[in-house]
């Protein structure tokens, strides 16, 4: 029913707009200012507080409302100056000093100073804020005492003068600039936070490209251009309106009718292939790699998965190409932990090839000639259970009987983070995507000893002291001087982990899909930016 | 009457306390730890512990519950874990939309149900009766999600009579209200039909006919008021049913009510919001039933006599 529904309406929409289509295609490629666009999402926007917001929707909006000391160049993973005109790193890599661009104003009219930077990051770390980004700042001196509730400020952030701020780190942290480019490091004015009386998320004040003009709960948010934005040539669109509560299918129908410019939730899996092939949708689908790997965790503390041979056998049992077909080709089979766009990805490493015969031999060597029974946890939203069933069938072919436990996401996360509970977890749908483009982000939170704890995210419960030492050494290598060497070191760490210990079955790297109207201009990279998702600053309307 | 009222209000308070206690314990029993979800992947155990402390989740369950009740009695529903804002204003901001939708849905089901039920009863066993009964069967058995998408396709996408989604104009409410009301209308049509058939067989109806009254007057004035009683009791129960139905309908039509809020909160184990929405829904159901109890005596003198 739905299938023909879209086809017919697409046709009708085409008839209605044929006259406009050539015009829309005629000129494109040069960004120009102007235009008001409409973006839709299903879920309501939870908050616009940069210390709190951490989901697909609000991440992009917060990013465009606030500024940070450093930021990525649009569409790339390359860091550049933002609020800070320049910065200095001490030779030991433990002190960072930033010069703040003078004359940048918050939307309340006050100038942004070094004290605001200090306040904002302390606020993000303070447990009273209950933000999800506190852990990223752990390398700053004083973060621990603040977490412990022993201090309301951090000694490691020093206001040198109004336009100079210095960070002292406990140890060198090669990813520190990446951390400062996260939304959590956005600069906010203290007086506006205080005035909002605990409701800053609904009354945000920043110094970014857009201002929040209107927020009607459950319906729409209207963002308008910040006339005083310190990057003069941006943003391009005059305003963007986010309409929430829109079912993805309804959003696509409206997109075809020209009522919507960006369907933020993309295309439901069942419709993907059809829309991809349809000429009606040419130029309307953005489909891009992201910094994501979907994997099965193999709990290294639960028998018989504690035996590396068993884990290697399971790696060989999975027909990744077939699984990719199940999700209509919206992914690429993965050979390793890191996704291809991530620095440190090893092109030459091919991982474990699909080989059920060899897998059975390995199981026999491990003393499990007749296989074993186990349990695999998965998110219960489509297509995750179907993918898990395919994995289950592949396991069955080598004699491993896996029972599927499909649960709501929070319960899967709880099972994975409880010692001895989940032998395997399928990570799909649980929102695992890199926070910043650095390989260490795939180690610390999900493969390090420190995260193999109750409530942690290392669901393989993998903890290898030798790798721990190598990881620390890699992160102590100063950036940018030894950036390449550091990436190479990380690359080797990840391939060695997989080759020797195989705590994961990397299954595929999922692409993200978004649908946009034909009048929207700009390269695919700014619609699915590696760190921002939608880059509202860089998108524009074709004239 | 006053005693009756006082007793029912007392019962209502007990029911709400029970709902609060059960929901609280159920949410507590979930394996998911809100502190872990809030702290995010970057957090170390110290940060998770600090957040758990901030939320008061490190206290014994009974203390947490008493603390919550204490807040409730002072009009404080707590703060949302994910939105970091007061729960009550969040619910109040969305409640009018849900109430409008429910009122419109009840209007649709009562009007459709009564009309079809009465027509079917009067023309019983004829072809029109059969068609109506078949339609009511379809109405009762159609999942709301399917009805919603069908209506969207036909009346919004193809014919363009109504907007596809949104809120604010009378046109916006039509499709969601029909979706919500169609199921109840099916039930009502069947109930009204059987009640009417029974009443129409009564002696006094025959007398009315014998007096030479017009059929319409016999049906509308003499028979219908006696057949309508079970419907009134049902509307009270319906409010409860609707509280469940609005979650789906609000989701499909992008209706900014509390159903949408509840759905998102459940995904994220946002306990204060789930508690708040549950209590407000329970309150609505209790009030609905109370109202039905109060209206019944005015419609049926026999109840008044008791």
């Amino acid at each position: 029913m739905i299938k023909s529904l879209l086809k017919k309406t697409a046709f009708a929409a085409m008839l209605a707009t044929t006259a406009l289509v050539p015009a829309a295609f005629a000129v494109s490629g040069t960004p120009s200012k102007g235009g008001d666009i409409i973006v839709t999402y299903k879920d309501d926007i939870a908050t616009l507080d940069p210390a709190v917001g951490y989901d697909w929707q609000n991440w992009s909006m917060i990013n465009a409302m606030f500024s940070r000391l450093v930021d990525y160049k649009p569409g790339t993973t390359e860091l550049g100056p933002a609020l800070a005109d320049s910065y200095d790193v001490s030779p030991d890599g433990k002190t960072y000093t930033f010069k703040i661009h003078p004359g940048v104003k918050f939307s309340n009219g006050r100038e942004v100073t070094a004290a605001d930077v200090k306040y904002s990051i302390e606020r993000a770390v303070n447990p009273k804020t209950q933000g999800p980004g506190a852990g990223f700042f752990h390398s700053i001196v004083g973060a621990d005492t603040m977490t412990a509730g022993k201090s309301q400020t951090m000694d490691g952030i020093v206001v040198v003068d109004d336009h100079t701020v210095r960070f002292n780190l406990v140890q060198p942290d090669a990813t520190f600039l990446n951390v400062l480019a996260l939304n959590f490091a956005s600069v906010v004015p203290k007086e506006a936070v205080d005035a909002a009386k605990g409701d800053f998320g609904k009354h945000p004040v920043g110094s970014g490209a857009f201002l929040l003009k209107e927020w009607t709960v459950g319906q729409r948010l209207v963002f308008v251009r910040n006339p005083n934005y310190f990057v003069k040539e941006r943003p391009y669109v005059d305003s963007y309106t986010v309409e929430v509560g829109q079912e993805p299918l309804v959003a696509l129908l409206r997109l075809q009718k020209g009522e919507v410019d960006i369907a933020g939730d993309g295309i439901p899996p069942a419709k993907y292939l059809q829309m991809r092939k349809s000429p009606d949708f040419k130029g309307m689908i953005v489909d891009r790699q992201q910094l994501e790997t979907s994997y099965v965790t193999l709990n290294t503390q639960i028998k018989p998965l504690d035996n590396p041979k068993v884990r290697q056998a399971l790696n060989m049992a999975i027909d990744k190409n077939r699984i990719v077909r199940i999700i209509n080709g919206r992914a690429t089979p993965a050979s390793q932990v890191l996704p291809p766009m991530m620095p440190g990805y090893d092109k030459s490493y091919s991982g474990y090839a699909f080989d059920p015969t060899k897998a059975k031999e390995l199981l026999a060597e491990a003393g499990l000639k007749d296989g074993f029974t186990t349990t695999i946890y998965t998110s219960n939203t489509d297509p995750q259970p179907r993918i898990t069933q395919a994995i289950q069938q592949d396991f069955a072919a080598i004699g491993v009987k896996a029972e599927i436990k499909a649960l709501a996401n929070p319960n899967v996360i709880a099972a994975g983070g409880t010692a001895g509970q989940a032998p395997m977890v399928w990570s799909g749908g649980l929102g695992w995507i890199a926070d910043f483009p650095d390989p260490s982000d795939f180690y610390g939170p999900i493969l390090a000893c420190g995260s193999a704890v109750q409530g942690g995210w290392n669901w393989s419960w993998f903890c290898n002291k030798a790798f721990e030492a190598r990881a620390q050494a890699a992160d102590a290598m100063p950036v940018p001087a030894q950036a390449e060497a550091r990436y190479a070191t990380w690359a080797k760490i990840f391939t060695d982990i997989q080759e020797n210990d195989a705590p994961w079955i990397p299954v595929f790297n999922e692409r993200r899909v978004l649908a946009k109207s034909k009048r929207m201009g700009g390269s695919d990279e700014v619609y699915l930016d590696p760190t921002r998702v939608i880059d509202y600053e860089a998108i524009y309307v074709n004239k | 009457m006053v005693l009756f009222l006082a007793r029912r209000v007392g019962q209502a308070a007990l029911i709400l306390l029970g709902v609060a206690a059960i929901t609280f314990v159920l949410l507590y029993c979930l394996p998911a730890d809100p502190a872990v979800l809030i702290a995010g992947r970057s957090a170390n155990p110290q940060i998770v512990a600090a957040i758990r402390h901030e939320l008061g989740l490190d206290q014994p369950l009974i203390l947490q519950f008493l603390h919550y009740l204490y807040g409730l009695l002072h009009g404080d529903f707590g703060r949302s874990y994910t939105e970091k804002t007061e729960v009550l204003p969040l619910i109040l901001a969305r409640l009018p939309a849900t109430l409008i939708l429910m009122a419109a849905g009840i209007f649709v089901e009562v009007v459709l149900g009564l009309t079809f039920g009465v027509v079917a009863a009067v023309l019983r066993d004829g072809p029109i009766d059969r068609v109506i009964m078949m339609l009511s069967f379809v109405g009762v058995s159609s999942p709301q999600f399917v009805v919603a998408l069908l209506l969207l396709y036909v009346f919004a996408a193809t014919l363009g009579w109504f907007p596809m989604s949104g809120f604010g104009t009378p046109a916006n409410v039509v499709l969601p209200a029909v979706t919500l009301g169609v199921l109840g209308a099916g039930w009502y049509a069947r109930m009204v039909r059987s009640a009417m058939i029974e009443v129409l067989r009564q002696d006094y109806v025959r007398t009315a006919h014998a007096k030479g009254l017009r059929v319409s007057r016999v049906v509308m004035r003499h028979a219908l008021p006696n057949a309508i009683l079970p419907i009134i009791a049902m509307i009270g129960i319906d409010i409860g049913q609707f509280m469940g139905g609005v979650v789906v309908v609000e989701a499909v039509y992008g209706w900014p009510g509390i159903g949408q809020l509840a759905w998102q909160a459940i995904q994220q184990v946002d306990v204060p919001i789930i508690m708040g929405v549950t209590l407000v829904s329970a309150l609505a159901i209790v009030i609905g039933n109370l109202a039905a109890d109060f209206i019944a005596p005015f419609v049926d003198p026999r109840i008044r006599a008791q």
Side-chain angles (χ1 to χ4, degrees):
Chain A
M1 197 276 291
I2 306 293
K3 197 171 170 182
S4 64
L5 180 154
L6 268 181
K7 256 189 198 155
K8 279 182 195 157
T9 44
F11 184 62
M14 283 306 293
L15 281 182
T17 57
T18 357
L20 298 173
V21 173
F25 275 122
V27 194
S28 105
T30 33
S32 54
K33 283 197 178 183
D36 304 285
I37 65 163
I38 293 178
V39 183
T40 63
Y41 281 108
K42 174 158 174 28
D43 286 347
D44 198 1
I45 306 307
T47 175
L48 289 174
D49 187 336
V52 176
Y54 200 20
D55 61 44
W56 282 112
Q57 294 92 316
N58 64 19
W59 190 260
S60 309
M61 296 166 205
I62 290 170
N63 196 277
M65 263 202 85
F66 294 90
S67 1
R68 292 149 290 277
L69 288 173
V70 287
D71 224 328
Y72 298 95
K73 292 174 183 158
T76 71
T77 56
E78 195 184 332
L79 279 165
L83 262 185
D85 282 331
S86 62
Y87 67 90
D88 259 343
V89 190
S90 67
D92 65 357
K94 284 165 70 170
T95 307
Y96 285 69
T97 310
F98 294 86
K99 282 278 175 206
I100 297 169
H101 190 80
V104 177
K105 297 229 165 97
F106 287 117
S107 57
N108 66 9
R110 186 171 68 71
E111 187 171 350
V112 178
T113 66
D116 294 311
V117 175
K118 177 174 165 68
Y119 166 75
S120 303
I121 291 174
E122 286 173 349
R123 179 172 175 269
V125 175
N126 197 325
K128 294 213 182 316
T129 310
Q130 297 168 23
F136 290 113
F137 302 98
H138 67 94
S139 55
I140 303 176
V141 171
D144 291 348
T145 41
M146 187 172 233
T147 301
K150 288 181 196 141
S151 169
Q152 296 301 307
T153 56
M154 284 157 66
D155 296 341
I157 310 178
V158 184
V159 178
V160 180
D161 61 49
D162 267 5
H163 294 103
T164 313
V165 63
R166 177 173 302 141
F167 294 88
N168 295 314
L169 307 187
V170 181
Q171 66 208 26
D173 178 357
T175 63
F176 190 61
L177 289 176
N178 297 109
V179 168
L180 290 182
L182 286 169
N183 279 358
F184 304 116
S186 297
V187 183
V188 298
K190 180 171 191 298
E191 68 274 16
V193 175
D194 291 342
K197 294 193 175 64
D199 215 5
F200 187 67
K202 295 269 188 292
H203 303 95
V205 176
S207 56
F210 288 94
L211 314 172
L212 176 67
K213 184 179 159 218
E214 180 203 324
W215 185 340
T216 312
V217 170
Q219 296 177 50
R220 85 183 71 79
L221 294 88
V222 182
F223 295 89
V224 295
R225 168 202 304 282
N226 176 2
N228 301 317
Y229 187 42
F230 63 94
V231 183
K232 282 291 162 246
E233 65 274 20
R234 281 181 286 163
Y236 300 120
V237 295
D238 289 335
S239 79
Y240 69 95
T241 299
V242 178
E243 295 187 3
V244 296
Q246 308 263 324
E247 267 293 312
L249 269 179
V250 176
L252 290 178
L253 286 170
R254 295 187 61 205
L255 187 80
Q256 287 167 348
K257 289 175 81 173
E259 294 175 13
V260 163
D261 291 299
I262 298 177
D265 291 317
I267 305 170
K271 296 231 47 73
Y272 175 72
L273 271 190
Q274 180 204 341
M275 284 184 64
R276 203 70 246 230
K277 286 178 186 156
S278 157
D280 300 346
F281 287 95
K282 204 170 153 46
M284 294 174 76
I285 301 174
V286 182
D287 179 345
R288 257 175 71 73
Q289 286 268 9
Q290 47 186 358
L291 293 170
E292 191 268 359
T293 304
S294 297
Y295 52 91
V296 177
T297 58
L298 306 172
N299 193 325
T300 54
Q301 295 184 356
I302 292 180
K303 280 186 187 304
L305 299 176
D306 57 340
N307 183 339
K309 280 198 174 137
V310 176
R311 300 198 295 266
Q312 286 164 343
L314 293 171
N315 260 286
M316 293 172 191
I318 302 297
D319 185 355
K320 295 169 187 173
N321 286 310
R322 185 171 75 109
I323 294 176
V324 165
R325 282 198 299 277
I326 288 176
I327 56 164
N328 296 325
R330 281 168 78 132
T332 323
S335 60
Q336 54 194 291
V337 171
L338 294 181
M341 279 207 317
M342 181 67 91
Y345 175 81
D346 187 346
K347 283 197 194 80
S348 63
Y349 180 70
S350 56
Y352 296 94
F354 173 52
D355 190 346
T357 323
K358 184 112 183 281
K360 272 191 195 159
E361 283 170 23
L362 269 177
L363 275 187
E365 278 177 41
L368 293 162
K369 195 161 59 64
D370 302 321
F372 60 96
T373 56
T374 184
T375 308
I376 180 164
Y377 284 70
T378 175
S379 159
N380 61 4
T381 44
D382 185 70
Q384 314 310 337
R386 285 191 289 133
I387 295 171
T388 320
Q389 278 166 11
I391 294 170
Q392 183 187 40
Q393 287 162 12
D394 284 342
F395 284 162
I398 62 161
V400 175
K401 286 187 211 50
E403 185 202 344
I404 295 177
K405 278 214 168 133
L407 306 171
N409 290 3
N411 300 334
V412 180
I413 292 167
T418 304
Q421 186 172 350
M424 300 183 189
V425 181
W426 164 242
S427 78
L430 296 169
W432 171 236
I433 180 162
D435 297 291
F436 46 75
D438 189 273
S440 65
D441 195 34
F442 267 75
Y443 184 81
I446 44 179
L447 282 166
C449 294
S451 54
V453 292
Q454 177 68 33
W457 297 74
N458 180 348
W459 302 335
S460 294
W461 293 81
F462 175 69
C463 177
N464 183 320
K465 295 283 186 253
F467 285 118
E468 206 77 349
R470 286 170 64 180
Q472 270 167 20
D475 269 355
M477 295 168 84
V479 168
Q482 294 186 37
E484 287 309 315
R486 182 172 164 271
Y487 290 151
T489 311
W490 269 116
K492 193 85 181 97
I493 292 175
F494 282 108
T495 50
D496 281 354
I497 286 178
Q498 199 49 19
E499 201 57 31
N500 302 330
D501 290 298
W504 284 14
I505 307 174
V507 178
F508 57 63
N509 303 109
E510 194 176 10
R511 296 195 303 272
R512 193 164 171 84
V513 179
L514 171 144
K516 66 181 172 84
S517 68
K518 290 185 174 160
R519 69 175 187 138
M520 294 307 298
S523 65
D524 285 359
E525 284 80 2
V526 298
Y527 287 90
L528 290 176
D529 182 285
T531 62
R532 294 180 178 88
V533 194
I534 300 175
D535 187 351
Y536 289 112
E537 258 190 81
I539 60 175
Y540 58 89
V541 176
N542 284 319
K543 280 278 149 47
Chain B
M1 195 68 180
V2 175
L3 190 70
F4 173 71
L5 181 71
R7 201 165 26 178
R8 291 310 301 256
V9 171
Q11 279 174 1
L14 273 181
I15 289 172
L16 288 179
L17 182 67
V19 168
I22 292 170
T23 316
F24 206 87
V25 171
L26 279 178
L27 289 173
Y28 186 83
C29 290
L30 280 180
D33 180 350
V36 168
L37 296 176
I38 292 168
R41 283 191 314 264
S42 70
N44 54 36
Q46 289 76 35
I47 293 174
V48 176
I51 288 179
R52 196 176 288 127
H53 178 72
E54 281 298 321
L55 297 174
L57 296 174
D58 51 352
Q59 292 173 351
L61 175 63
I62 184 73
L63 270 185
Q64 288 183 39
F65 185 60
L66 289 177
H67 187 77
Y68 184 77
L69 282 186
Y70 180 83
L72 272 189
L73 291 174
H74 293 76
D76 178 7
F77 279 63
R79 284 174 71 83
S80 155
Y81 291 169
T82 48
E83 303 199 22
K84 305 279 190 282
T85 180
E86 295 288 328
V87 168
L88 192 59
L90 221 53
I91 294 177
L92 292 181
R94 286 164 167 273
L95 196 57
T98 297
L99 292 180
I100 290 170
L101 179 57
M102 283 176 52
I106 289 176
F107 179 78
V108 167
E109 70 175 7
V110 169
V111 169
L112 286 184
L114 280 184
T115 315
F116 283 119
V118 169
V119 170
V122 172
L123 305 173
R124 63 179 167 278
D125 300 331
I128 293 182
D129 176 28
R130 296 235 164 78
V131 170
I132 289 177
M133 281 306 100
M134 204 188 73
L135 282 179
S136 77
F137 196 68
V138 171
V140 167
S141 24
S142 305
Q144 272 167 334
F145 194 74
V146 174
V147 175
L149 284 178
L150 252 176
L151 291 177
L152 263 182
Y153 172 49
V154 177
F155 295 103
T158 311
L159 297 173
W161 293 353
F162 298 104
M164 296 231 236
S165 68
F167 176 78
T169 68
N172 285 117
V173 83
V174 176
L175 293 184
V178 171
T179 309
L180 200 56
V182 106
L183 184 138
W187 278 118
Y188 283 18
R190 299 181 85 83
M191 280 184 50
V192 168
R193 178 181 177 273
S194 50
M196 277 293 283
I197 287 175
E198 203 175 302
V199 172
L200 287 173
R201 287 203 188 108
Q202 304 272 330
D203 292 342
Y204 75 93
V205 173
R206 208 174 323 134
T207 313
H209 277 300
K211 278 199 295 189
L213 292 180
R214 271 178 293 125
V215 176
S216 61
R217 188 165 168 80
V218 174
V219 171
M220 299 309 288
R221 183 71 195 85
H222 291 259
L224 187 59
N226 285 308
I228 211 170
L229 197 64
I231 304 293
I232 290 172
M234 250 187 91
I235 291 176
I237 299 167
D238 261 2
I239 293 176
Q241 298 256 343
F242 273 19
M243 277 292 173
V246 290
V247 175
V248 174
V249 175
E250 285 182 1
V252 178
Y253 290 102
W255 194 261
I258 61 172
Q260 222 185 32
L261 185 69
W263 173 246
Q264 288 179 22
I266 291 167
Q267 308 283 305
Q268 292 157 325
V269 207
D270 197 330
V271 176
I273 292 187
I274 302 175
M275 283 297 296
V277 174
T278 311
L279 282 177
V280 168
S281 309
L283 187 66
I285 293 168
V286 166
I287 291 175
N289 281 303
L290 268 177
D293 284 343
F294 280 110
I295 293 168
F298 294 100
V299 181
D300 191 342
R302 285 171 298 187
I303 296 179
R304 230 173 324 179
Q306 283 168 13

